[in-house]
Amino acid sequence: MSEWLLFPLLLLGGWLPGRLLLPHLIAEQIPGGEALHPLERHFAALSLGLLFIGWLAFLLAELGAFSLVTIGAGWLLLVLGLLVLTRRRPRRISTTPPDDHATVQEPDPAMFAGIRLPARLEYLILLLWLPAAIWLFFRPHEAILGGSDAGVYVNTAAHVAQTGHLLIDEPALAELDPALYPSLLRERREGEGTPYYLYPGFNVVLEPRGRVLPDFFHLHPVWQAVGHAAGGVRAALLLPALWALLGAFAVYLTARQLAGWPVAIVSIVGLSTTALQVWFARYPVTEMLTQYLLWLALWALGAWLVGRRPLRLWGLLGGLALGQLFLTRIDTFFLLVIPLLAGLWLTRRRRWQPAHLWFFAPLAVLTAHSLIHSYAFSRPYFERIAFHVAGMARRNWMLPAVALVMGLALFLVLRNRRLGVVARRHGRPLLAFGALAIFLLAAYAWFVRPVVGATASYQEWYDGQTIVLTDRENLIRLGWYLSPLGVWLGAAGASLLLWRLNRKSAVLVGVGLFFSLLYLWRIQATPHQIYAMRRYVPAVLPFFVISAAYLFGWLAQRRAWYARLVGLLLLPLWLAGFVWSAQGFITHVDNQGLMAQVEALDARLDDGAILIFNDQTPVSMGDLLGTPLNYQYGHDAFTLRQPEAITQEPLQAQITQWQRAGRPIYWVGDPAPLAAGQISDGQETVEITFTFLENAYEHKPSRLIPARWVLPLSRLQ
């Protein structure tokens, strides 16, 4: 199947079961009108179907039964069941009006800068945005090499698509003499979950022999496996672009619900033109799926908390989206505070309804599923992150202490009626203080922190190397991609959102501010600057964009003409800042032509070959090339990491054992560690060339770096 045919089939396959399910959820229609806008109805249907397909594929991969046939069979059973239920279901109309008494009434959403905008203009702009976004997003980086998170995801997906299993069993590794582990595997440090890894992100467990656990949580690579099974690695690389498209539209609907469609249009156009959105739409890591699920949950929860009909739809959509975040990224477990606070609020106000279980039940099931998955499939990764977080908490004990005190105070306010009355009575001064604090923190992070924290500090990275920590400049570095104007308008909009806080915006503001404060305080994870910025993509980037768009909408609704004029002058400058900052990122695609060259290398190797790379660098050529050669083309690959630890007898015996089993052995690199008689007379040279964006950290990356690898390749006799 063509990789381009996959996406219309996937969208149709998601929309159909969701559309059949909607009538069973929309039992509470508003008399005389449609409860859902057409854009909301179709996007909700599509998202419900995609959430079902993703969860089904995930379960099948865990059970070792993943395939397009089994996924298709499950999808067909669901559709047939919904068709039967739809024929038997009587139509019910509720006369209960929506619960809007606690919602802050916004100005007319069709008014912008004093001008009433025609409703059809919304559809026209979206029709123009869609092909532009497709052109921007669907140009993937060919990130198939190992040694990075992207390579772990893509190659895990290839393994799942080809074997049906999420767990990896390596026969060649199972046969490896344990005496060779220190030489051919990378040793891990304390707190890293396992004693060795085969490649970065592929953890070796000692029992059972040959078992490898890929890093991270695995909903994203399972979705990529759907693409790989349907259209090969190229389709897998295109999946983040689909999530970027749907994530931008989820941001659009969240902003539309918050402040009307003109503000939503500003949000989606601004978000789609930022360098970070474009870059990570092309880069096969989990950020875009996280963005889609997060903002889908925020949109649904905004409607659910104000009692917007139909409650069952918003509850189910919010519960499924929030729960699947816990199958996608480990740092989303912070969001468990949302159902906790929502449950306390409903209990105190005695507003529990059966419809609320449509949110809490699927969320509880998915949360339990994520914990089971952490133990059974991601234990080394989970333990490594837990070890790292515990160390940070010990070194910076004041931060968790402050968070605990604030959480306890919020718990008491929601639990105790008297404290709730006091909080409402003094709410405006507290919100004013919070709004001022946002601006003061932004000023500190922009002007003071880079100077106060000028003393260099260091963090250990690969193999004892150290990198300079530059967290003191995090807000300035975010301004490299949003422009300084974008940062300050985002901060001003966030202050305004907090000042005008209501039930419709509470979760959005809380999540946006939390992740902004967390990652603007500490983001350092890698010396590659653009790669470090991925932390901002799911929540912080859209929050800054929506906040600025909300500020523009607020200015446009002011009666004073000069306020509207300021908004009209700032808006094009804000958008121009995004476009200017995205120069180079829009036109460049990393690693173009790399897939064809790795495919050509595979064609030069015999079937079932085992490769041994002689490379002692921290991230070796065996890591970079061996990972795709293994999981995409079926060639086992090892790296000679410590020649001084090797002894000839076990290595020669191991090579002989593999050769007697019919496995051809290739040596890549300097043959010195082996006896000359072991090398065949015919030695080939492999050359691979490509271009990538510079791995800078001290400045915004802009230069394109040409890479040229020349590798001696010999077949052992």
Side-chain angles (χ1 to χ4, degrees):
M1 178 192 301
S2 166
E3 62 266 24
W4 295 107
L5 184 59
L6 167 68
F7 296 99
L9 290 178
L10 192 59
L11 294 174
L12 179 62
W15 176 84
L16 181 57
R19 191 67 186 88
L20 292 173
L21 180 61
L22 276 184
H24 302 277
L25 299 174
I26 307 177
E28 312 117 314
Q29 293 285 349
I30 298 176
E34 175 64 70
L36 298 175
H37 187 276
L39 292 173
E40 295 179 314
R41 184 171 66 249
H42 292 300
F43 192 72
L46 170 64
S47 296
L48 285 171
L50 290 177
L51 290 169
F52 166 78
I53 294 172
W55 195 12
L56 173 64
F58 190 80
L59 286 167
L60 290 172
E62 289 181 321
L63 296 172
F66 175 95
S67 73
L68 291 184
V69 173
T70 53
I71 295 171
W75 177 87
L76 184 59
L77 287 174
L78 175 67
V79 170
L80 292 176
L82 289 172
L83 284 171
V84 171
L85 289 175
T86 300
R87 290 178 62 87
R88 296 181 177 181
R89 177 184 172 275
R91 181 175 175 82
R92 293 180 294 166
I93 303 293
S94 172
T95 57
T96 306
D99 177 17
D100 283 333
H101 70 276
T103 304
V104 173
Q105 296 298 316
E106 297 288 343
D108 184 355
M111 296 289 291
F112 199 79
I115 303 172
R116 178 170 292 277
L117 303 175
R120 292 183 181 179
L121 184 60
E122 177 183 13
Y123 293 98
L124 176 61
I125 297 175
L126 288 175
L127 286 174
L128 294 173
W129 164 80
L130 182 60
I134 291 174
W135 180 82
L136 286 170
F137 298 162
F138 284 80
R139 302 168 65 188
H141 304 307
E142 296 184 23
I144 63 169
L145 298 176
S148 68
D149 291 3
V152 176
Y153 286 123
V154 171
N155 290 289
T156 300
H159 169 79
V160 173
Q162 293 168 2
T163 68
H165 293 263
L166 186 54
L167 294 175
I168 301 174
D169 289 308
E170 299 269 9
L173 178 62
E175 298 165 358
L176 189 67
D177 186 342
L180 295 173
Y181 283 6
S183 302
L184 298 182
L185 304 177
R186 171 74 67 182
E187 292 188 74
R188 307 299 295 260
R189 293 172 295 184
E190 180 188 0
E192 292 191 327
T194 55
Y196 300 99
Y197 69 63
L198 179 59
Y199 318 112
F202 291 91
N203 306 284
V204 175
V205 297
L206 299 182
E207 291 294 335
R209 290 277 297 273
R211 174 65 53 84
V212 173
L213 299 180
D215 260 348
F216 314 122
F217 290 179
H218 299 112
L219 182 59
H220 172 61
V222 166
W223 263 117
Q224 288 181 306
V226 172
H228 194 288
V233 67
R234 297 181 187 278
L237 291 173
L238 283 168
L239 255 296
L242 176 65
W243 305 134
L245 202 67
L246 297 179
F249 200 76
V251 170
Y252 173 84
L253 290 179
T254 306
R256 190 181 192 280
Q257 180 174 257
L258 177 69
W261 70 261
V263 169
I265 289 290
V266 172
S267 298
I268 198 172
V269 172
L271 180 64
S272 301
T273 53
T274 62
L276 294 181
Q277 185 77 4
V278 171
W279 184 264
F280 287 100
R282 303 174 182 180
Y283 197 61
V285 287
T286 190
E287 269 61 33
M288 284 307 169
L289 178 58
T290 307
Q291 185 188 88
Y292 167 55
L293 293 173
L294 176 62
W295 289 89
L296 180 63
L298 293 177
W299 171 51
L301 288 172
W304 185 71
L305 285 174
V306 299
R308 185 183 170 197
R309 305 290 179 172
L311 280 180
R312 291 189 295 184
L313 168 63
W314 301 122
L316 180 62
L317 198 58
L320 287 175
L322 191 60
Q324 289 197 20
L325 276 170
F326 305 147
L327 298 174
T328 306
R329 281 177 69 109
I330 196 169
D331 62 355
T332 58
F333 277 112
F334 292 116
L335 298 176
L336 282 172
V337 72
I338 294 175
L340 174 63
L341 296 178
L344 290 172
W345 179 76
L346 290 169
T347 301
R348 186 175 69 82
R349 298 193 46 124
R350 298 178 182 177
R351 288 182 171 272
W352 275 102
Q353 301 179 34
H356 289 137
L357 291 177
W358 288 81
F359 169 69
F360 287 102
L363 178 59
V365 171
L366 283 164
T367 303
H369 186 184
S370 68
L371 294 175
I372 295 171
H373 182 83
S374 301
Y375 181 83
F377 297 90
S378 301
R379 190 172 179 180
Y381 173 69
F382 187 89
E383 290 180 354
R384 188 162 70 251
I385 297 300
F387 182 83
H388 175 69
V389 171
M392 287 184 62
R394 287 193 300 269
R395 292 190 299 271
N396 305 277
W397 61 269
M398 287 188 62
L399 290 170
V402 170
L404 182 63
V405 170
M406 292 179 65
L408 181 61
L410 190 56
F411 172 83
L412 293 174
V413 167
L414 290 173
R415 191 67 180 167
N416 188 286
R417 286 182 173 273
R418 291 184 178 179
L419 289 177
V421 171
V422 173
R424 284 196 299 273
R425 184 178 303 164
H426 300 286
R428 300 308 292 174
L430 289 174
L431 293 178
F433 174 78
L436 178 61
I438 291 174
F439 235 86
L440 292 176
L441 284 172
Y444 169 78
W446 190 274
F447 297 108
V448 180
R449 191 184 183 197
V451 178
V452 171
T455 302
S457 58
Y458 298 89
Q459 171 178 292
E460 189 171 348
W461 197 46
Y462 285 115
D463 200 34
Q465 299 181 48
T466 56
I467 53 176
V468 179
L469 293 179
T470 52
D471 287 315
R472 63 184 185 274
E473 299 174 1
N474 281 345
L475 189 61
I476 294 176
R477 291 168 184 248
L478 182 60
W480 291 350
Y481 303 92
L482 291 183
S483 78
L485 180 63
V487 167
W488 284 102
L489 288 176
S495 297
L496 180 64
L497 275 168
L498 185 61
W499 167 250
R500 307 184 78 210
L501 191 71
N502 56 70
R503 278 165 52 187
K504 186 161 54 174
S505 64
V507 178
L508 184 156
V509 174
V511 170
L513 288 177
F514 171 79
F515 281 108
S516 297
L517 292 172
L518 175 66
Y519 286 129
L520 287 171
W521 164 64
R522 182 68 189 271
I523 193 178
Q524 178 63 53
T526 166
H528 303 160
Q529 210 286 317
I530 185 66
Y531 195 71
M533 299 303 290
R534 62 186 288 203
R535 300 285 185 262
Y536 296 125
V537 173
V540 180
L541 172 65
F543 179 66
F544 267 72
V545 171
I546 277 189
S547 297
Y550 185 82
L551 175 64
F552 292 134
W554 180 80
L555 289 172
Q557 300 291 349
R558 299 305 93 202
R559 293 184 179 179
W561 65 267
Y562 52 83
R564 298 198 297 271
L565 179 61
V566 168
L568 286 173
L569 292 175
L570 287 176
L571 176 57
L573 292 175
W574 179 71
L575 291 173
F578 288 164
V579 175
W580 180 266
S581 300
Q583 289 183 102
F585 296 92
I586 290 177
T587 55
H588 173 66
V589 176
D590 254 9
N591 302 351
Q592 281 185 299
L594 182 60
M595 287 191 295
Q597 295 178 77
V598 175
E599 190 172 334
L601 172 59
D602 163 65
R604 297 169 68 172
L605 303 173
D606 292 336
D607 292 341
I610 295 177
L611 294 94
I612 301 176
F613 288 82
N614 181 19
D615 187 349
Q616 289 75 54
T617 54
V619 180
S620 69
M621 199 60 64
D623 296 325
L624 298 172
L625 281 173
T627 306
L629 287 173
N630 186 336
Y631 298 117
Q632 294 184 41
Y633 298 103
H635 305 297
D636 290 290
F638 296 93
T639 299
L640 182 58
R641 301 182 186 275
Q642 297 186 52
E644 66 279 3
I646 202 168
T647 56
Q648 288 290 327
E649 293 78 9
L651 180 60
Q652 297 288 1
Q654 186 66 68
I655 290 173
T656 302
Q657 178 184 344
W658 282 332
Q659 288 176 329
R660 286 176 177 172
R663 304 292 300 275
I665 312 296
Y666 289 87
W667 188 272
V668 187
D670 180 9
L674 287 178
Q678 285 289 326
I679 304 300
S680 65
D681 294 334
Q683 187 178 78
E684 303 179 67
T685 298
V686 176
E687 182 172 326
I688 294 177
T689 59
F690 56 91
T691 303
F692 62 93
L693 185 68
E694 65 175 321
N695 294 330
Y697 197 77
E698 295 78 14
H699 59 272
K700 181 182 178 182
S702 59
R703 295 187 301 118
L704 302 181
I705 308 299
R708 180 174 178 265
W709 298 341
V710 180
L711 305 173
L713 177 67
S714 308
R715 177 167 172 162
L716 301 189
Q717 294 177 344

